Amino acid sequence: FPDMLSNPRLLSLQRTLNVVMNQNVSLSCHSGSGSPPVRYTLFKDSQKVSTLIKPDLTPGLFNLTINSASDTGEYKCKAENNSTGGGKYSNSLNFTLKEPISRPVLSSPTSQAKKGQNVTLSCLSENGSLPITYIFFKGRQSISTPVKMQKREAAMIFLLINSSSDFGIYKCRAENSFRNNTKYSNSFNFTLAEERSHSQALIISLGLILLLFVIGFALAIPFFIIPSYKASE
């Protein structure tokens, strides 16, 4: 009588579940005990991927290519022989797709600022596997601690423009777990918003007073000056 198979074990021969696009991977499914022949079936998210039959108790090897994010779901395998009935299922494996990040974009709701004004800077990489870590710079000096984003959201910092030296060039840097993949953003700099001087304000005020005087004089002509002139005749 054939012996019942033990629960198979599913392993990744790459010894890592982190993969990149278009990578070839190999999965091993193996029942350590039971009577051969053994039929191994690989499943992804409960959908059958492939089946092979081994005449002995050597592992069944499945070769895959990760073509897209949809190839990184849950994998399991099933082992069957003539005595296992419904078969025995393995542990599950989930691949994590590592995608290089795109160049981050540094932006702000405003490009002009006055001294003493609070401003905001946002940094976002539209593509790349999460999490993504951002750092903000002014010139070559970092001005923030690393900000790790677990979602596809912009990292933000808040700044106070204290002096003219705060109007320099700002950048941000983004990186993820993809090896040797650090990207710097575009440059961004605030410009000083023009402030009217006291002399400019005085000139504008005098101009408004003169304009009001001219308008008042023009309105007075038909009501006071012309009747007075006719009365004197």
Side-chain angles (χ1 to χ4, degrees):
F1 294 96
D3 293 329
M4 185 174 293
L5 290 170
S6 60
N7 285 83
R9 187 180 182 190
L10 185 63
L11 296 173
S12 170
L13 298 187
Q14 288 70 231
R15 298 184 180 181
T16 177
L17 296 177
N18 294 322
V19 295
V20 298
M21 201 75 75
N22 301 319
Q23 179 177 338
N24 296 318
V25 296
S26 295
L27 296 178
S28 167
C29 184
H30 184 221
S31 287
S33 62
S35 298
V38 183
R39 181 168 68 250
Y40 292 109
T41 304
L42 182 68
F43 293 87
K44 178 191 165 294
D45 297 329
S46 302
Q47 297 295 317
K48 184 165 67 173
V49 175
S50 181
T51 298
L52 55 86
I53 297 175
K54 301 293 290 184
D56 49 30
L57 288 180
T58 57
L61 298 180
F62 297 94
N63 297 312
L64 309 170
T65 301
I66 305 299
N67 290 314
S68 66
S70 62
D71 295 325
T72 60
E74 182 185 66
Y75 287 87
K76 283 187 176 183
C77 70
K78 181 173 72 171
E80 301 171 276
N81 66 1
N82 293 331
S83 66
T84 53
K88 295 290 187 68
Y89 284 89
S90 72
N91 56 296
S92 61
L93 292 180
N94 285 275
F95 289 107
T96 299
L97 183 63
K98 293 172 59 178
E99 181 185 4
I101 53 176
S102 58
R103 186 186 185 194
V105 175
L106 183 65
S107 61
S108 175
T110 180
S111 60
Q112 292 187 330
K114 300 177 181 179
K115 291 180 181 179
Q117 181 178 340
N118 291 308
V119 294
T120 304
L121 282 173
S122 301
C123 186
L124 176 65
S125 287
E126 290 287 351
N127 299 303
S129 51
L130 299 169
I132 299 176
T133 300
Y134 298 95
I135 300 179
F136 293 84
F137 294 84
K138 180 181 176 295
R140 295 186 177 181
Q141 183 70 35
S142 64
I143 56 173
S144 74
T145 56
V147 182
K148 181 176 286 189
M149 303 300 294
Q150 302 288 346
K151 296 181 179 180
R152 189 75 58 191
E153 297 175 348
M156 302 176 65
I157 62 168
F158 303 94
L159 304 172
L160 175 63
I161 303 298
N162 282 318
S163 64
S164 57
S165 63
D166 295 324
F167 290 96
I169 295 177
Y170 292 87
K171 284 189 176 185
C172 67
R173 186 181 76 195
E175 58 187 7
N176 62 3
S177 59
F178 200 91
R179 185 175 299 177
N180 301 323
N181 183 52
T182 298
K183 297 286 180 66
Y184 284 86
S185 73
N186 55 296
S187 299
F188 187 93
N189 63 302
F190 296 100
T191 56
L192 180 63
E194 294 184 0
E195 298 181 6
R196 293 190 179 97
S197 63
H198 292 295
S199 60
Q200 288 176 321
L202 180 60
I203 292 173
I204 292 173
S205 299
L206 291 175
L208 290 174
I209 293 172
L210 180 60
L211 179 62
L212 291 173
F213 177 78
V214 171
I215 294 173
F217 182 77
L219 293 174
I221 289 175
F223 295 101
F224 299 102
I225 298 177
I226 293 178
S228 298
Y229 178 75
K230 289 182 177 180
S232 64
E233 289 182 348

